[in-house]
Amino acid sequence: MASHIVGYPRMGPKRELKFALESFWDGKSSAEDLEKVAADLRASIWKQMSDAGIKYIPSNTFSYYDQVLDTTAMLGAVPPRYNWTGGEIGFSTYFSMARGNATLPAMEMTKWFDTNYHFIVPELGPDVKFSYGSHKAVNEYNEAKALGVDTVPVLVGPVSYLLLSKPAKGVEKNFPLLSLLDKILPIYKEVIAELKAAGASWIQFDEPTLVKDLESHQLEAFTKAYGELESTLSGVSTIIETYFADVPAAAYKTLTSLSGISGFGFDLVRGAQTLDLIKGGFPAGKYLFAGVVDGRNIWANDLSASLSELAFLEGIVGKDKLVVSTSCSLLHTAVDLVNETKLDQEIKSWLAFAAQKIVEVNALAKALSGQKDGAFFSANAAAQASRKSSPRVNNEGVQKAAAALRGSDHRRATNVSARLDAQQKKLNLPILPTTTIGSFPQTVELRRVRREYKAKKISEEEYVKAIKEEISKVVKLQEELDIDVLVHGEPERNDMVEYFGEQLSGFAFTANGWVQSYGSRCVKPPIIYGDVSRPNPMTVFWSTAAQSMTKRPMKGMLTGPVTILNWSFVRNDQPRFETCYQIALAIKDEVEDLEKAGITVIQIDEAALREGLPLRKAEHAFYLDWAVHSFRITNVGVQDTTQIHTHMCYSNFNDIIQSIINMDADVITIENSRSDEKLLSVFREGVKYGAGIGPGVYDIHSPRIPSTEEIADRINKMLAVLETNILWVNPDCGLKTRKYGEVKPALENMVAAAKQLRTELASAK
């Protein structure tokens, strides 16, 4: 019985790639240094899978930024503004597309399906001249081959690539992107031909858009694409991999009817209903890559249950055609549990990171072949039983409180217009009030202080003194810049979710459980293993300390329940909404304590609310109902004069704008600048929004500093569709990833633009 891994984490067990990337971007190391780190990581990954006995080992899943951008480079689809003139695309062009540079903005970034991973959105149109711009897929195959490892090169499939793209600026909004299929297939043919010549016996095409709601002409594009590639693929075996959800019946029929394809990969963890389609008919002689090991969570697989499921599938497709696989790329989970030397041993026994999931995949494959490791399966069964019976998992009081939430929609008693009037009387803000999203740059010195405090190298008194000094600097800077509503900069927080999880019951934390979000940005998701509650106040001390340093309003900064849920590894033994309601009650306690302490503006970030939206439209309403309800629970008890803000990160919000309105926040700040201001199109199309809103006026994920004129132009575009009295001026997101040398001039220009427009508006009256 064979085994297969869809993809693997790239950052390394200790974030080696992150530090290499940042050193290169800062000019402290060379391209050769970066390439050496990357090559060492790839070699280690391939060896690990080979040593574990995996048969189908992926290559070309490594990336310096993301796999869609890699495909853009492969196809030579570089937007003209980056002045690429042909040849192999190098780091300068590649990273300019990803991050922008001193003179050019980056391409749009958005979420990869319903994950916290991001990708750079291709900008396409009828005039794009595609050409073979990156030989990365072939180079990595040859690199692995030279190390004695035969791999399966992985390519983002041509149809999914186009469906994930957008019309470039200046191209008609309704331009049919699939019309470009004939232009990109010749390059795919070149890549395939080179891989075959290099000796590849298998090629994997990732076509994850097959799990979405596709129209008939979109499904026909798959038939056309792979029909066109069939002769080129002759002599090589081909997998089409899907993941993240069930494959709809029509898509399943299209997929399994493709000629020239050797096997099909399905996510049987999040796509359990796909099993019914397989039972109803699977093409004879084809391979089934059965994704039974969860690639998106960190819980140990229930090996006994998976083995039973695989045995059933074996009866349908045949012993020699069943391949044990992960449900998706392991990119979305942490790297190796062996690095967690301080994790509670009981909880650790319940977990499996990427390295352990490789072992699980191979153990299942061997068991199906009659080589079951009895000791391994027994230990797994004991861990499963331990988790189910552990008293640490269940808290009856929390469960009762969450159950009592049913029957109320938890709305504030007064409508938002009346609340805004009451708040303005108290806050006395100018029109176009300025603010930031929360975090300020995390300096080397600040990270050192937190690290030394955690290691008990400095006392609590020394730590508090250092953090207060940092808050004081941030407050003083904002006052000098003349920002209207201040933040304390979050110097006590390494991560917005981890910080809260550390203070909530039911959470566990890792030392090295890092997961890539985009580029060099990594997050360390908490593990929610049990019922959630708040034993003590979490932010009141720092918020009140910051407010005491200024007469201007100081935001209390919280992470919302939906974002904590979506940015954690969540327990899989109860519905996600039940866990979310528990978190909402904990945040509600914190909101009310902040209000009692005199904080009049409280921001409850729901950066990841859109991210959790199911991939199928039929499931949207249920998710949005409990997600929006969870947010309202957090602030239902505050006074009208307490202003509730929320913030949302990079994503497409236009299709859920009514749910955003239904959150009933007083002010929402939302990403806008990097997505070509498509958020504003909602308001151009007549959606009425009565609460305060701050569409971001500049992209903080690029080192580029926008001019006053550029920001003023953005604000004017907003004023064309939004009322003056509800518009706020702010960056797209928090500033922790930027340097003060970038932040200060950008904020100076932002405030100058707001003041300029206030003057113009006043003189126009």
Side-chain angles (χ1 to χ4, degrees), residues 294-350:
D294 193 350
R296 285 186 59 174
N297 217 326
I298 42 65
W299 302 108
N301 186 270
D302 185 339
L303 296 178
S304 177
S306 292
L307 192 59
S308 296
E309 185 175 313
L310 290 164
F312 173 79
L313 291 170
E314 187 178 69
I316 296 173
V317 305
K319 184 181 280 287
D320 62 334
K321 296 299 181 184
L322 183 64
V323 180
V324 183
S325 185
T326 53
S327 65
C328 62
S329 173
L330 298 176
L331 170 70
H332 308 288
T333 190
V335 178
D336 196 343
L337 199 54
V338 75
N339 297 313
E340 302 305 326
T341 55
K342 296 180 181 177
L343 193 60
D344 177 280
Q345 286 303 306
E346 182 184 29
I347 293 173
K348 191 174 180 178
S349 74
W350 304 340

Short mmCIF file of all heavy atoms in Angstrom, two decimals, residues 294-350:
data_model
loop_
_atom_site.label_atom_id
_atom_site.label_comp_id
_atom_site.label_asym_id
_atom_site.label_seq_id
_atom_site.Cartn_x
_atom_site.Cartn_y
_atom_site.Cartn_z
N ASP A 294 -5.45 14.56 8.73
CA ASP A 294 -5.80 15.99 8.68
C ASP A 294 -4.56 16.86 8.50
O ASP A 294 -3.68 16.89 9.37
CB ASP A 294 -6.54 16.36 9.98
CG ASP A 294 -7.22 17.71 9.91
OD1 ASP A 294 -6.99 18.46 8.93
OD2 ASP A 294 -7.99 18.03 10.84
N GLY A 295 -4.53 17.60 7.40
CA GLY A 295 -3.42 18.52 7.16
C GLY A 295 -3.61 19.90 7.73
O GLY A 295 -2.73 20.75 7.59
N ARG A 296 -4.76 20.14 8.38
CA ARG A 296 -5.05 21.50 8.86
C ARG A 296 -5.20 21.59 10.38
O ARG A 296 -5.51 22.67 10.89
CB ARG A 296 -6.33 22.02 8.20
CG ARG A 296 -6.11 22.41 6.76
CD ARG A 296 -7.33 23.05 6.15
NE ARG A 296 -7.76 24.25 6.84
CZ ARG A 296 -8.73 25.03 6.42
NH1 ARG A 296 -9.39 24.71 5.32
NH2 ARG A 296 -9.08 26.10 7.09
N ASN A 297 -5.02 20.50 11.07
CA ASN A 297 -5.13 20.57 12.52
C ASN A 297 -4.02 19.74 13.13
O ASN A 297 -3.27 19.07 12.42
CB ASN A 297 -6.50 20.09 13.00
CG ASN A 297 -7.02 20.89 14.18
OD1 ASN A 297 -6.22 21.34 15.02
ND2 ASN A 297 -8.32 21.08 14.27
N ILE A 298 -3.88 19.79 14.43
CA ILE A 298 -2.72 19.17 15.08
C ILE A 298 -3.11 17.99 15.96
O ILE A 298 -2.29 17.52 16.75
CB ILE A 298 -1.92 20.22 15.91
CG1 ILE A 298 -2.86 21.16 16.70
CG2 ILE A 298 -1.04 21.05 14.99
CD1 ILE A 298 -3.67 20.53 17.75
N TRP A 299 -4.33 17.49 15.82
CA TRP A 299 -4.76 16.35 16.63
C TRP A 299 -4.26 15.06 16.01
O TRP A 299 -4.25 14.89 14.79
CB TRP A 299 -6.28 16.33 16.76
CG TRP A 299 -6.80 17.60 17.35
CD1 TRP A 299 -7.48 18.59 16.72
CD2 TRP A 299 -6.59 18.04 18.69
NE1 TRP A 299 -7.72 19.62 17.58
CE2 TRP A 299 -7.18 19.32 18.81
CE3 TRP A 299 -5.96 17.50 19.82
CZ2 TRP A 299 -7.18 20.05 19.99
CZ3 TRP A 299 -5.95 18.23 21.00
CH2 TRP A 299 -6.55 19.49 21.07
N ALA A 300 -3.81 14.16 16.85
CA ALA A 300 -3.38 12.85 16.37
C ALA A 300 -4.55 12.17 15.67
O ALA A 300 -5.71 12.26 16.09
CB ALA A 300 -2.89 11.99 17.54
N ASN A 301 -4.24 11.48 14.59
CA ASN A 301 -5.26 10.76 13.84
C ASN A 301 -5.81 9.60 14.66
O ASN A 301 -5.07 8.94 15.39
CB ASN A 301 -4.63 10.22 12.54
CG ASN A 301 -5.64 9.58 11.62
OD1 ASN A 301 -5.89 8.39 11.71
ND2 ASN A 301 -6.23 10.37 10.75
N ASP A 302 -7.10 9.36 14.55
CA ASP A 302 -7.70 8.16 15.14
C ASP A 302 -7.39 7.03 14.16
O ASP A 302 -8.14 6.78 13.21
CB ASP A 302 -9.20 8.36 15.33
CG ASP A 302 -9.86 7.19 16.04
OD1 ASP A 302 -9.29 6.08 16.02
OD2 ASP A 302 -10.97 7.37 16.58
N LEU A 303 -6.26 6.37 14.39
CA LEU A 303 -5.77 5.39 13.42
C LEU A 303 -6.74 4.24 13.20
O LEU A 303 -6.90 3.76 12.07
CB LEU A 303 -4.41 4.85 13.88
CG LEU A 303 -3.27 5.87 13.94
CD1 LEU A 303 -2.00 5.21 14.46
CD2 LEU A 303 -3.01 6.49 12.57
N SER A 304 -7.39 3.81 14.24
CA SER A 304 -8.33 2.70 14.11
C SER A 304 -9.49 3.07 13.20
O SER A 304 -9.88 2.31 12.31
CB SER A 304 -8.85 2.29 15.49
OG SER A 304 -9.81 1.26 15.37
N ALA A 305 -10.04 4.29 13.40
CA ALA A 305 -11.15 4.75 12.57
C ALA A 305 -10.71 4.93 11.12
O ALA A 305 -11.42 4.56 10.18
CB ALA A 305 -11.71 6.05 13.13
N SER A 306 -9.51 5.50 10.94
CA SER A 306 -9.01 5.72 9.57
C SER A 306 -8.76 4.40 8.86
O SER A 306 -9.04 4.26 7.67
CB SER A 306 -7.72 6.55 9.61
OG SER A 306 -7.97 7.87 10.02
N LEU A 307 -8.24 3.43 9.61
CA LEU A 307 -7.95 2.13 9.01
C LEU A 307 -9.24 1.46 8.53
O LEU A 307 -9.28 0.87 7.44
CB LEU A 307 -7.23 1.24 10.02
CG LEU A 307 -6.60 -0.05 9.47
CD1 LEU A 307 -5.59 0.26 8.38
CD2 LEU A 307 -5.93 -0.83 10.61
N SER A 308 -10.29 1.60 9.30
CA SER A 308 -11.59 1.03 8.89
C SER A 308 -12.10 1.71 7.63
O SER A 308 -12.61 1.05 6.70
CB SER A 308 -12.62 1.20 10.02
OG SER A 308 -12.24 0.46 11.16
N GLU A 309 -11.96 3.03 7.58
CA GLU A 309 -12.41 3.78 6.41
C GLU A 309 -11.60 3.39 5.17
O GLU A 309 -12.15 3.20 4.08
CB GLU A 309 -12.26 5.29 6.68
CG GLU A 309 -12.81 6.18 5.58
CD GLU A 309 -12.75 7.65 5.97
OE1 GLU A 309 -13.17 7.99 7.10
OE2 GLU A 309 -12.28 8.46 5.15
N LEU A 310 -10.30 3.25 5.34
CA LEU A 310 -9.43 2.87 4.22
C LEU A 310 -9.74 1.45 3.73
O LEU A 310 -9.72 1.18 2.51
CB LEU A 310 -7.96 2.99 4.63
CG LEU A 310 -7.45 4.42 4.81
CD1 LEU A 310 -6.14 4.42 5.59
CD2 LEU A 310 -7.28 5.12 3.47
N ALA A 311 -10.01 0.56 4.66
CA ALA A 311 -10.35 -0.82 4.28
C ALA A 311 -11.63 -0.84 3.44
O ALA A 311 -11.74 -1.59 2.46
CB ALA A 311 -10.51 -1.69 5.53
N PHE A 312 -12.58 0.03 3.83
CA PHE A 312 -13.82 0.14 3.05
C PHE A 312 -13.52 0.65 1.64
O PHE A 312 -14.04 0.12 0.64
CB PHE A 312 -14.79 1.08 3.78
CG PHE A 312 -16.03 1.40 2.99
CD1 PHE A 312 -17.08 0.50 2.92
CD2 PHE A 312 -16.14 2.61 2.32
CE1 PHE A 312 -18.22 0.79 2.20
CE2 PHE A 312 -17.27 2.91 1.59
CZ PHE A 312 -18.32 2.00 1.53
N LEU A 313 -12.67 1.68 1.54
CA LEU A 313 -12.33 2.25 0.24
C LEU A 313 -11.55 1.25 -0.62
O LEU A 313 -11.71 1.22 -1.85
CB LEU A 313 -11.51 3.53 0.43
CG LEU A 313 -12.26 4.72 1.02
CD1 LEU A 313 -11.30 5.84 1.39
CD2 LEU A 313 -13.31 5.23 0.03
N GLU A 314 -10.74 0.46 0.05
CA GLU A 314 -9.97 -0.56 -0.66
C GLU A 314 -10.91 -1.52 -1.39
O GLU A 314 -10.62 -1.97 -2.51
CB GLU A 314 -9.10 -1.32 0.33
CG GLU A 314 -8.12 -2.30 -0.28
CD GLU A 314 -7.28 -2.97 0.79
OE1 GLU A 314 -7.85 -3.77 1.57
OE2 GLU A 314 -6.08 -2.67 0.88
N GLY A 315 -12.05 -1.80 -0.77
CA GLY A 315 -13.03 -2.68 -1.39
C GLY A 315 -13.66 -2.07 -2.63
O GLY A 315 -14.17 -2.79 -3.50
N ILE A 316 -13.62 -0.74 -2.74
CA ILE A 316 -14.21 -0.05 -3.90
C ILE A 316 -13.20 0.08 -5.03
O ILE A 316 -13.51 -0.20 -6.19
CB ILE A 316 -14.74 1.35 -3.49
CG1 ILE A 316 -15.88 1.21 -2.47
CG2 ILE A 316 -15.19 2.14 -4.71
CD1 ILE A 316 -16.34 2.53 -1.90
N VAL A 317 -11.97 0.53 -4.70
CA VAL A 317 -11.01 0.87 -5.76
C VAL A 317 -9.96 -0.20 -5.99
O VAL A 317 -9.25 -0.17 -7.00
CB VAL A 317 -10.33 2.23 -5.47
CG1 VAL A 317 -11.37 3.32 -5.28
CG2 VAL A 317 -9.42 2.16 -4.25
N GLY A 318 -9.82 -1.13 -5.05
CA GLY A 318 -8.80 -2.17 -5.20
C GLY A 318 -7.55 -1.86 -4.40
O GLY A 318 -7.17 -0.70 -4.24
N LYS A 319 -6.91 -2.91 -3.90
CA LYS A 319 -5.74 -2.75 -3.02
C LYS A 319 -4.61 -1.98 -3.69
O LYS A 319 -3.96 -1.13 -3.08
CB LYS A 319 -5.25 -4.14 -2.59
CG LYS A 319 -4.09 -4.11 -1.58
CD LYS A 319 -3.64 -5.51 -1.22
CE LYS A 319 -4.54 -6.16 -0.19
NZ LYS A 319 -4.37 -5.58 1.16
N ASP A 320 -4.37 -2.25 -4.98
CA ASP A 320 -3.22 -1.63 -5.64
C ASP A 320 -3.50 -0.22 -6.13
O ASP A 320 -2.61 0.46 -6.65
CB ASP A 320 -2.73 -2.50 -6.81
CG ASP A 320 -3.80 -2.65 -7.88
OD1 ASP A 320 -5.00 -2.55 -7.54
OD2 ASP A 320 -3.43 -2.86 -9.05
N LYS A 321 -4.75 0.26 -5.98
CA LYS A 321 -5.10 1.60 -6.46
C LYS A 321 -5.43 2.58 -5.33
O LYS A 321 -5.79 3.73 -5.59
CB LYS A 321 -6.31 1.52 -7.41
CG LYS A 321 -6.03 0.74 -8.69
CD LYS A 321 -4.92 1.37 -9.53
CE LYS A 321 -4.67 0.59 -10.81
NZ LYS A 321 -3.53 1.14 -11.57
N LEU A 322 -5.31 2.14 -4.09
CA LEU A 322 -5.58 3.02 -2.95
C LEU A 322 -4.26 3.55 -2.38
O LEU A 322 -3.35 2.78 -2.09
CB LEU A 322 -6.35 2.28 -1.86
CG LEU A 322 -6.75 3.11 -0.63
CD1 LEU A 322 -7.72 4.22 -1.02
CD2 LEU A 322 -7.37 2.21 0.44
N VAL A 323 -4.18 4.88 -2.24
CA VAL A 323 -2.98 5.52 -1.70
C VAL A 323 -3.40 6.32 -0.46
O VAL A 323 -4.34 7.13 -0.52
CB VAL A 323 -2.33 6.46 -2.73
CG1 VAL A 323 -1.08 7.12 -2.16
CG2 VAL A 323 -2.00 5.70 -4.01
N VAL A 324 -2.72 6.10 0.66
CA VAL A 324 -3.01 6.83 1.90
C VAL A 324 -2.34 8.20 1.81
O VAL A 324 -1.16 8.30 1.49
CB VAL A 324 -2.50 6.07 3.14
CG1 VAL A 324 -2.87 6.83 4.41
CG2 VAL A 324 -3.06 4.66 3.16
N SER A 325 -3.10 9.25 2.12
CA SER A 325 -2.58 10.61 1.93
C SER A 325 -3.03 11.53 3.05
O SER A 325 -3.86 11.18 3.89
CB SER A 325 -3.07 11.15 0.57
OG SER A 325 -2.51 12.42 0.29
N THR A 326 -2.47 12.73 3.02
CA THR A 326 -2.95 13.81 3.89
C THR A 326 -4.14 14.49 3.22
O THR A 326 -4.29 14.43 2.00
CB THR A 326 -1.84 14.84 4.14
OG1 THR A 326 -1.30 15.29 2.88
CG2 THR A 326 -0.72 14.24 4.97
N SER A 327 -4.95 15.15 4.01
CA SER A 327 -6.16 15.78 3.47
C SER A 327 -5.82 16.98 2.59
O SER A 327 -6.60 17.37 1.72
CB SER A 327 -7.07 16.22 4.62
OG SER A 327 -6.45 17.22 5.39
N CYS A 328 -4.68 17.61 2.84
CA CYS A 328 -4.21 18.77 2.10
C CYS A 328 -2.73 18.92 2.41
O CYS A 328 -2.15 18.05 3.09
CB CYS A 328 -4.98 20.03 2.50
SG CYS A 328 -4.78 20.49 4.24
N SER A 329 -2.12 19.98 1.96
CA SER A 329 -0.72 20.22 2.31
C SER A 329 -0.57 20.38 3.82
O SER A 329 -1.42 20.98 4.49
CB SER A 329 -0.21 21.49 1.62
OG SER A 329 1.09 21.82 2.08
N LEU A 330 0.54 19.87 4.34
CA LEU A 330 0.85 20.05 5.77
C LEU A 330 1.38 21.45 6.07
O LEU A 330 1.74 21.75 7.21
CB LEU A 330 1.85 18.98 6.21
CG LEU A 330 1.34 17.54 6.10
CD1 LEU A 330 2.45 16.55 6.46
CD2 LEU A 330 0.13 17.31 6.97
N LEU A 331 1.41 22.29 5.07
CA LEU A 331 1.78 23.70 5.22
C LEU A 331 0.99 24.37 6.34
O LEU A 331 1.47 25.31 6.99
CB LEU A 331 1.50 24.41 3.89
CG LEU A 331 1.57 25.93 3.82
CD1 LEU A 331 3.01 26.38 3.97
CD2 LEU A 331 1.00 26.42 2.49
N HIS A 332 -0.23 23.89 6.56
CA HIS A 332 -1.15 24.57 7.49
C HIS A 332 -1.05 24.06 8.92
O HIS A 332 -1.85 24.46 9.77
CB HIS A 332 -2.58 24.41 6.98
CG HIS A 332 -2.74 24.83 5.55
ND1 HIS A 332 -2.70 26.15 5.15
CD2 HIS A 332 -2.87 24.10 4.41
CE1 HIS A 332 -2.82 26.21 3.84
NE2 HIS A 332 -2.93 24.99 3.36
N THR A 333 -0.09 23.19 9.17
CA THR A 333 0.11 22.72 10.54
C THR A 333 1.54 23.00 10.98
O THR A 333 2.37 23.43 10.18
CB THR A 333 -0.23 21.22 10.64
OG1 THR A 333 -0.27 20.84 12.02
CG2 THR A 333 0.77 20.35 9.91
N ALA A 334 1.82 22.80 12.26
CA ALA A 334 3.16 23.05 12.78
C ALA A 334 4.11 21.94 12.32
O ALA A 334 3.68 20.89 11.84
CB ALA A 334 3.11 23.11 14.30
N VAL A 335 5.42 22.16 12.46
CA VAL A 335 6.41 21.30 11.79
C VAL A 335 6.69 19.99 12.53
O VAL A 335 6.55 18.92 11.96
CB VAL A 335 7.72 22.08 11.56
CG1 VAL A 335 8.76 21.19 10.90
CG2 VAL A 335 7.45 23.30 10.68
N ASP A 336 7.10 20.07 13.81
CA ASP A 336 7.56 18.83 14.45
C ASP A 336 7.34 18.90 15.96
O ASP A 336 7.86 19.78 16.63
CB ASP A 336 9.05 18.60 14.15
CG ASP A 336 9.50 17.18 14.45
OD1 ASP A 336 8.79 16.47 15.18
OD2 ASP A 336 10.57 16.79 13.95
N LEU A 337 6.61 17.94 16.47
CA LEU A 337 6.29 17.88 17.90
C LEU A 337 7.53 17.62 18.75
O LEU A 337 7.55 17.93 19.94
CB LEU A 337 5.26 16.78 18.12
CG LEU A 337 4.42 16.78 19.40
CD1 LEU A 337 3.71 18.10 19.61
CD2 LEU A 337 3.41 15.64 19.35
N VAL A 338 8.58 17.09 18.16
CA VAL A 338 9.79 16.76 18.92
C VAL A 338 10.43 18.03 19.51
O VAL A 338 11.15 17.97 20.51
CB VAL A 338 10.80 16.00 18.03
CG1 VAL A 338 11.50 16.94 17.04
CG2 VAL A 338 11.83 15.26 18.87
N ASN A 339 10.14 19.18 18.90
CA ASN A 339 10.71 20.44 19.39
C ASN A 339 9.94 21.01 20.59
O ASN A 339 10.35 22.03 21.14
CB ASN A 339 10.70 21.49 18.27
CG ASN A 339 11.59 21.09 17.10
OD1 ASN A 339 12.72 20.66 17.31
ND2 ASN A 339 11.08 21.20 15.89
N GLU A 340 8.86 20.35 20.99
CA GLU A 340 8.02 20.86 22.09
C GLU A 340 8.42 20.17 23.40
O GLU A 340 7.74 19.27 23.87
CB GLU A 340 6.54 20.66 21.77
CG GLU A 340 6.09 21.32 20.49
CD GLU A 340 6.39 22.81 20.45
OE1 GLU A 340 6.33 23.47 21.51
OE2 GLU A 340 6.70 23.31 19.36
N THR A 341 9.52 20.61 23.96
CA THR A 341 10.06 19.97 25.17
C THR A 341 9.34 20.41 26.44
O THR A 341 9.45 19.75 27.48
CB THR A 341 11.55 20.28 25.31
OG1 THR A 341 11.74 21.71 25.29
CG2 THR A 341 12.34 19.67 24.15
N LYS A 342 8.59 21.52 26.39
CA LYS A 342 7.93 22.04 27.59
C LYS A 342 6.42 21.83 27.59
O LYS A 342 5.73 22.21 28.53
CB LYS A 342 8.25 23.53 27.76
CG LYS A 342 9.73 23.80 27.99
CD LYS A 342 10.00 25.29 28.16
CE LYS A 342 11.49 25.54 28.37
NZ LYS A 342 11.80 26.99 28.46
N LEU A 343 5.89 21.25 26.51
CA LEU A 343 4.45 21.05 26.41
C LEU A 343 4.00 19.96 27.38
O LEU A 343 4.65 18.93 27.53
CB LEU A 343 4.09 20.66 24.97
CG LEU A 343 2.62 20.70 24.57
CD1 LEU A 343 2.04 22.10 24.72
CD2 LEU A 343 2.48 20.24 23.12
N ASP A 344 2.88 20.22 28.03
CA ASP A 344 2.29 19.27 28.96
C ASP A 344 2.22 17.88 28.30
O ASP A 344 1.72 17.73 27.18
CB ASP A 344 0.88 19.76 29.32
CG ASP A 344 0.13 18.81 30.21
OD1 ASP A 344 -0.41 17.81 29.69
OD2 ASP A 344 0.08 19.06 31.43
N GLN A 345 2.70 16.86 29.00
CA GLN A 345 2.84 15.53 28.39
C GLN A 345 1.51 14.90 28.02
O GLN A 345 1.40 14.21 27.01
CB GLN A 345 3.62 14.60 29.34
CG GLN A 345 5.11 14.91 29.39
CD GLN A 345 5.77 14.84 28.01
OE1 GLN A 345 5.66 13.85 27.31
NE2 GLN A 345 6.46 15.92 27.64
N GLU A 346 0.48 15.12 28.85
CA GLU A 346 -0.82 14.54 28.51
C GLU A 346 -1.34 15.15 27.22
O GLU A 346 -1.76 14.42 26.30
CB GLU A 346 -1.83 14.76 29.64
CG GLU A 346 -3.18 14.11 29.33
CD GLU A 346 -4.24 14.38 30.38
OE1 GLU A 346 -4.18 15.44 31.04
OE2 GLU A 346 -5.14 13.53 30.53
N ILE A 347 -1.31 16.48 27.13
CA ILE A 347 -1.79 17.16 25.92
C ILE A 347 -0.91 16.78 24.73
O ILE A 347 -1.42 16.53 23.63
CB ILE A 347 -1.82 18.69 26.13
CG1 ILE A 347 -2.88 19.04 27.19
CG2 ILE A 347 -2.10 19.42 24.82
CD1 ILE A 347 -2.89 20.48 27.61
N LYS A 348 0.39 16.69 24.95
CA LYS A 348 1.31 16.33 23.86
C LYS A 348 0.96 14.98 23.27
O LYS A 348 1.07 14.76 22.05
CB LYS A 348 2.75 16.34 24.39
CG LYS A 348 3.81 16.24 23.30
CD LYS A 348 5.20 16.41 23.90
CE LYS A 348 6.29 16.31 22.84
NZ LYS A 348 7.64 16.52 23.43
N SER A 349 0.48 14.06 24.08
CA SER A 349 0.14 12.72 23.58
C SER A 349 -1.08 12.75 22.66
O SER A 349 -1.32 11.80 21.92
CB SER A 349 -0.15 11.78 24.76
OG SER A 349 -1.40 12.07 25.37
N TRP A 350 -1.84 13.84 22.70
CA TRP A 350 -3.03 13.96 21.86
C TRP A 350 -2.72 14.55 20.49
O TRP A 350 -3.61 14.66 19.65
CB TRP A 350 -4.08 14.86 22.53
CG TRP A 350 -4.50 14.42 23.90
CD1 TRP A 350 -4.37 13.18 24.47
CD2 TRP A 350 -5.14 15.24 24.91
NE1 TRP A 350 -4.88 13.17 25.75
CE2 TRP A 350 -5.36 14.42 26.05
CE3 TRP A 350 -5.54 16.57 24.96
CZ2 TRP A 350 -5.96 14.89 27.21
CZ3 TRP A 350 -6.15 17.05 26.11
CH2 TRP A 350 -6.36 16.22 27.23
#
